[in-house]
Amino acid sequence: MGADQPRGCKLEVEGLAKSYGGVAAIADVTLAVPPGALITLLGPSGCGKTTLMRSIAGFVVPDRGRIAVDGRDLLALPPERRSTAMLFQNYSLFPHMTVEANVGFGLRMRGLRRAEAAPRIADALRLTRIAELAGRYPGQLSGGQQQRVALARALVTRPDILLLDEPFGALDQNLREQVQIELRKLQQSLGITTLVVTHDQLEALTLSDLVAVMNAGRIEQIAPPVEIYDRPATAFVARFMGVENLLPVALGSRDGATVRASAGKLEATVSLPREAGPSLLAVRADAVQLQDAAQSGAVSARISFATNRGPSALYEVTTDDGQTLQASEERRGAALRAVGTKVGVRLRDESCCLVKA
């Protein structure tokens, strides 16, 4: 924000754990966020995302572990001295205060004089494009405007780490997508290290440099969003990221870093599994290629269910050896394939991968 805009800081979490009544909310969580990166904590309700974020903010005291920013240990510091700013899902705006007063509240609590605070408030209002709303009250604002006010209030303190807990949950879908892009542009321009808690897979893919998928208090996989989507590491990550087909698989001949995988009569050449142990073949519906039954080399199957999805169709197909899987196909203006139609099925190698069972 101007010449004093926050530089990106490295966030490190090591071996963090927190239990309530003997039940682990987070268990041995370790992650490293590079300076200026945006990481999303993604997972279902109750998986530990918010407990992890609130531990970083200082609102939850972990049972063990370490939290550091640029090597400086945060655990001994109270929330107000951690140089973190947290934006809550409900925004927590003061209804009796104007937008300007809401944005400047944190600066007043830190004892900044009006003359010092005024230019920083103006800068935050400008960055979030709400300067013209400075004199209004929260009840006079739309959901998207309230979200920007809460973001400006977080940014005005110039934190090292920005923490956003389900920041778009109160917005309708169209506005949510617009504000997500605006936030990402702003975060990149400021270079501020940011954590976002979400249960929305598309939101995580849209926003992130890194995605940490959480399950039962642990991180199952941390990777760039493209890798999380294309190459999930575990069956849980695959299911949570919307992979429709997880098939029992037998591994055959290897060729360098690839292996021939067979799921019944269906086959695909895929990368070797990340680690030894039982695996499943993860196949997205759009990786199941449907052909006319007469074409050679395809596995014979029959359409058992069809769903219209506008530009595409989702089919349930059952192979002659009794295997059922989901297949997606662009319609291109054509009618849906009828239930009972015989088809041939192939798997697109490049869209299949092995995941830990």
Side-chain angles (χ1 to χ4, degrees):
M1 298 170 65
D4 297 324
Q5 75 176 45
R7 65 183 180 84
C9 295
K10 182 179 181 180
L11 173 66
E12 296 172 285
V13 176
E14 297 178 5
L16 210 67
K18 178 66 179 180
S19 295
Y20 296 99
V23 178
I26 50 175
D28 196 28
V29 169
T30 295
L31 61 86
V33 185
L38 189 153
I39 182 171
T40 49
L41 306 178
L42 175 67
S45 298
C47 72
K49 307 184 299 292
T50 297
T51 300
L52 175 55
M53 176 169 281
R54 292 177 68 88
S55 297
I56 295 168
F59 302 132
V60 168
V61 179
D63 299 329
R64 63 180 182 275
R66 175 176 177 267
I67 302 171
V69 173
D70 281 351
R72 180 171 62 103
D73 192 355
L74 296 190
L75 283 182
L77 300 177
E80 65 272 14
R81 293 185 55 201
R82 293 196 177 194
S83 194
T84 60
M86 189 163 178
L87 190 157
F88 297 94
Q89 183 175 1
N90 62 4
Y91 308 145
S92 300
L93 302 178
F94 297 108
H96 62 286
M97 291 184 182
T98 65
V99 166
E100 185 175 27
N102 265 285
V103 172
F105 179 78
L107 298 180
R108 290 196 300 277
M109 292 298 98
R110 297 182 183 204
L112 262 71
R113 295 174 302 184
R114 184 181 298 272
E116 295 176 279
R120 290 174 60 168
I121 295 170
D123 200 13
L125 294 172
R126 176 187 57 81
L127 279 170
T128 52
R129 298 193 290 120
I130 53 172
E132 72 281 3
L133 305 177
R136 295 190 191 179
Y137 291 87
Q140 299 172 310
L141 306 177
S142 68
Q145 290 169 334
Q146 290 182 26
Q147 200 262 4
R148 288 195 184 100
V149 175
L151 180 57
R153 187 175 61 185
L155 292 173
V156 77
T157 61
R158 297 174 181 170
D160 291 332
I161 308 293
L162 181 62
L163 306 170
L164 309 178
D165 188 4
E166 300 276 5
F168 311 108
L171 306 179
D172 64 63
Q173 186 61 41
N174 289 338
L175 182 57
R176 182 183 308 176
E177 293 173 0
Q178 175 186 336
V179 176
Q180 285 171 2
I181 293 171
E182 290 178 356
L183 172 65
R184 181 57 165 149
K185 289 179 178 178
L186 179 60
Q187 184 269 333
Q188 289 179 328
S189 69
L190 293 175
I192 186 170
T193 306
T194 302
L195 274 78
V196 178
V197 160
T198 183
H199 63 270
D200 186 310
Q201 296 90 336
L202 181 58
E203 187 169 289
L205 297 175
T206 300
L207 288 173
S208 310
D209 295 301
L210 292 169
V211 177
V213 181
M214 296 190 67
N215 176 31
R218 300 180 182 274
I219 293 178
E220 293 248 340
Q221 185 178 4
I222 302 178
V226 169
E227 183 176 343
I228 290 285
Y229 185 87
D230 289 344
R231 296 290 180 265
T234 68
F236 174 85
V237 175
R239 290 191 186 97
F240 195 78
M241 295 308 297
V243 174
E244 295 88 350
N245 305 296
L246 290 174
L247 309 176
V249 67
L251 302 184
S253 59
R254 301 188 178 194
D255 183 7
T258 64
V259 62
R260 195 65 177 166
S262 301
K265 292 182 178 181
L266 295 168
E267 293 187 334
T269 299
V270 295
S271 298
L272 287 169
R274 291 178 170 87
E275 54 187 270
S279 297
L280 296 170
L281 185 65
V283 184
R284 289 193 176 273
D286 58 9
V288 181
Q289 186 176 10
L290 301 183
Q291 303 174 339
D292 293 338
Q295 294 189 20
S296 62
V299 174
S300 296
R302 190 181 298 269
I303 303 290
S304 51
F305 191 77
T307 305
N308 184 4
R309 288 188 166 182
S312 65
L314 181 66
Y315 297 105
E316 184 178 283
V317 299
T318 304
T319 61
D320 285 355
D321 60 352
Q323 188 155 231
T324 299
L325 62 160
Q326 306 291 313
S328 178
E329 184 177 56
E330 290 187 26
R331 288 199 308 110
R332 296 188 175 90
L336 270 64
R337 297 176 185 264
V339 172
T341 301
K342 290 185 177 181
V343 292
V345 175
R346 297 177 186 269
L347 301 182
R348 295 186 175 92
D349 291 351
E350 68 278 6
S351 298
C352 301
C353 68
L354 294 172
V355 300
K356 184 178 178 182

